[in-house]
């Protein structure tokens, strides 16, 4: 079922996307500004479900790459958002028919709205992860053999590049160093795929889910019920900790916002380790949950999602663990996005506490 | 006047090119191997003088980018040499008619021979510098407003990229970081220009000059006369020092071979500072010569050119200073390739000892 995306719902959608963004994917306020501006200038965007997508559609994902810390200070223009799509156009030789989100996140769910509006194209009600991950190859389409390249990227100065690489990890490596040199944030277009492939490889109905989560938070606030509980229910997750942020150690290295945050609560302290997104949540005695399941930090009262670059001393927060798309739990997927990939010598811990090793992987 | 480039003359040409390469531009032995192999497989290359070039020709320069130290260990294949030309082809929309050298150097004068042979295209008797310089934008075409981009590059693994940048310095910046990530050496094609522009912006007859210098060295050896004197005469330069290499300090940083070499001779020590190419030659009491004029290190007996990565303790060498193309002495050119650009707070010292400041710049 298709629906119209108008400026009035962008705020809720961006807020819900920031929840699924697990700390990364960019600031929802910035993301909403960009999308609202584009919708105001170019009119509403039609959002199309995967079930309505023709097999022979040509789908491109559009995203911002870089350190979220930098994205906040270097807002892209609409010209920059559409530049990589145009740059890729020539390589593909036939017209792009649909835009999709690579991930769920405050900016990376809204940049594609801006792109779709400016290009006059429909947007898919879907994304490549069902959450956010820090590296470009970390999308379900990679697991389906869909190539990131030809991949185009552009900066705000007017520089563009089109990569053609031997695998998606090389796309990430080359785009990342270029991104750092170009100022630590660039706009991307890539992962060209047919409608049939998109239906198989993307996470369905995820824009609808973002909107529903974001609306649920506002409705709970208005009803004076607990908005954090509304998020937990919507995600089928569980609340794992509540406390006060007492320490945030953060650096922008190799184009990523990396660091650790400590949260003190009743009788224990939780440490969150992140690379753009939260990857590991541990108490003083053990692991609570790890990537690929979702680690979400919400304001304790309002359930406003807090990005990793938004973490500040003194914030009262609640930490939620929630299941990822089940496809992230295959052995192949865990090799790509599990704790080991990020340098943590740990098995994956699911949101419900289940420890996953190669035998138990889905 | 056009002439045929056959395998038998490649060695002399590469040796002469390494002389003009001023320590950079790659190892002439490696360069000669590549060109000979391509000529053996694809037949001789026609070398065309700038005076014979049609105004509407489409000229591309082909070069290797990277640290010469790495080039020695990672020989490109012919596939890699032509890959960037093919990648660029689509962007340009009309057929390339001539290949040119971006610089003079043991590898960068011979890679274009291999490319021309494999592509079945004529090669220009010309290059973009009349010497070698370490960065991509440092070619005379930049001074004539010719853009490096669209610029394509490729690695030996099969990754390619096409850049479109706002100026040639940005082409260098983005290509350099990608080059480092891709293994510290890539093949490039760029600086697309018309025949009319090439005639204006390139250094004429420089392949002929390389061949003549290389042959002159061999002839002097055979005639038992001094081959170093033959090089000095050919270049209109002067010998500034003779001694033994007593110290070489060298690192590969940011994709360049950077360092210093100390040479002890009668009554004094000369220090050479290099970034791929020799940039500054100084005694204990003053400056002998600086970029953009040529600083050339030759074996004291055989006049075999010694690249910066080939410098070793104990080598007996003679150091030659020689004039660069006069266009490198304009104020604009000195800002691009003078000592100040490389971080040396010095005026340019010409090969004959003349000190050049903004008032005396050509």
């Amino acid at each position: 079922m298709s629906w119209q995306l108008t400026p009035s719902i962008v705020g809720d959608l961006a807020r819900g996307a920031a929840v699924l963004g697990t700390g990364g994917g960019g600031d929802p306020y910035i993301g909403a500004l960009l999308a609202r501006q584009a919708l105001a200038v170019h009119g509403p965007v039609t959002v199309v479900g995967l079930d309505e997508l023709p097999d022979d559609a040509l789908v491109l994902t559009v995203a911002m790459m870089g350190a979220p810390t930098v994205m906040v200070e270097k807002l892209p223009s609409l010209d920059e958002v559409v530049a990589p799509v145009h740059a890729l156009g020539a390589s593909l030789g036939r017209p792009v028919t649909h835009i999709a989100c690579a991930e769920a996140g405050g900016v990376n769910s809204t940049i594609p709205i801006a792109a779709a509006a400016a290009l006059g194209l429909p947007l898919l009600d879907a994304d490549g992860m069902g959450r956010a991950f820090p590296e470009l190859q970390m999308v379900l389409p990679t697991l389906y053999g869909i190539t990131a390249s030809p991949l185009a990227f552009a900066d705000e100065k007017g520089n563009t590049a089109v990569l053609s690489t031997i695998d998606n990890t090389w796309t990430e490596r080359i785009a990342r160093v270029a991104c750092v040199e170009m100022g630590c944030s660039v706009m991307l277009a890539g992962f060209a795929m047919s409608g049939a492939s998109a239906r198989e490889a993307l996470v369905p109905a995820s824009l609808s889910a973002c909107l529903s989560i974001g609306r649920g938070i506002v409705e709970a606030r208005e009803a004076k019920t607990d908005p954090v509980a509304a998020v937990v229910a919507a995600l089928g997750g569980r609340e794992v900790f509540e406390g006060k942020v007492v320490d945030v150690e953060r650096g922008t290295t190799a184009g990523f916002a990396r660091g650790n945050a400590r949260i003190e609560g009743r009788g224990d302290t939780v440490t969150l380790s992140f690379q753009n997104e939260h990857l590991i949540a541990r108490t003083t005695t053990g692991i609570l949950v790890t990537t690929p399941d979702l680690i979400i930090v919400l304001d304790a009262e309002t359930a406003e999602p807090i990005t990793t670059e938004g973490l500040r001393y003194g914030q009262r927060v609640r930490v939620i663990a929630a299941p990822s798309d089940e496809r992230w739990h295959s052995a192949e997927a865990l090799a790509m996005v599990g704790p080991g990939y990020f340098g943590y010598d740990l098995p994956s811990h699911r949101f419900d506490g289940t420890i996953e090793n190669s035998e138990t992987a889905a």
Side-chain angles (χ1 to χ4, degrees), chain A residues 89-302:
Chain A
S91 305
L92 295 170
R94 64 196 187 92
V96 176
T97 61
H98 294 76
I99 298 296
C101 301
E103 65 179 4
V107 163
N108 271 338
S109 290
T110 49
I111 286 275
I113 298 173
L119 294 162
L121 291 175
L123 179 67
L124 293 189
D125 189 1
D127 80 289
M129 305 185 201
R131 49 163 295 160
F133 275 123
E135 298 180 14
L136 179 150
Q137 76 280 11
M138 296 172 172
V139 292
L140 293 171
T142 297
L143 298 175
Y144 288 87
I146 295 167
T147 59
S149 80
L151 179 109
F153 51 94
D155 67 17
E156 79 290 356
K157 294 171 279 292
N159 296 308
T160 63
V162 179
L163 302 183
S164 173
T165 60
I166 53 172
D167 62 36
N168 293 356
T169 302
W170 272 105
T171 321
E172 159 69 22
R173 287 181 64 171
I174 300 172
R176 185 69 56 180
V177 293
C179 166
V180 171
E181 186 68 19
M182 290 159 94
C184 251
S185 88
V186 294
M187 295 299 317
L188 304 175
F191 286 98
M193 63 187 107
S194 69
S197 293
R199 199 155 40 243
E200 182 180 52
L202 299 181
V203 177
S206 60
L207 279 190
S208 298
C210 291
L211 184 56
S212 162
I213 293 165
R215 274 187 179 152
I217 291 172
V218 173
E219 285 165 6
R221 287 177 197 165
E222 287 169 358
K224 314 260 187 236
T225 59
D226 179 11
V228 174
V231 172
V232 170
L235 297 177
R238 67 181 180 114
E239 186 174 335
V240 292
F241 201 70
E242 175 166 7
K244 191 177 87 164
V245 177
V246 294
D247 191 37
V248 184
E249 161 237 319
R250 183 168 33 214
T252 301
T253 56
F256 296 108
R258 295 179 204 255
N260 296 284
R262 261 188 326 123
I263 304 168
E264 265 182 21
R266 263 166 299 187
D268 208 345
T269 299
V270 159
T271 302
L272 303 175
S273 300
F274 54 84
Q275 175 180 330
N276 290 8
E277 285 76 33
H278 292 298
L279 300 172
I280 311 283
R282 66 178 90 210
T283 65
T284 51
T285 55
I287 307 294
L288 283 173
V289 53
T290 71
T291 175
D293 274 1
L294 283 64
I295 301 167
I296 299 160
V297 179
L298 303 177
D299 179 276
E301 294 297 317
T302 65

Side-chain angles (χ1 to χ4, degrees), chain A residues 308-322:
Chain A
T308 52
E309 83 269 15
L311 283 166
R312 300 279 181 277
Y313 174 86
Q315 286 167 333
R316 301 219 42 106
V317 300
R318 287 152 79 180
V319 181
I320 292 173

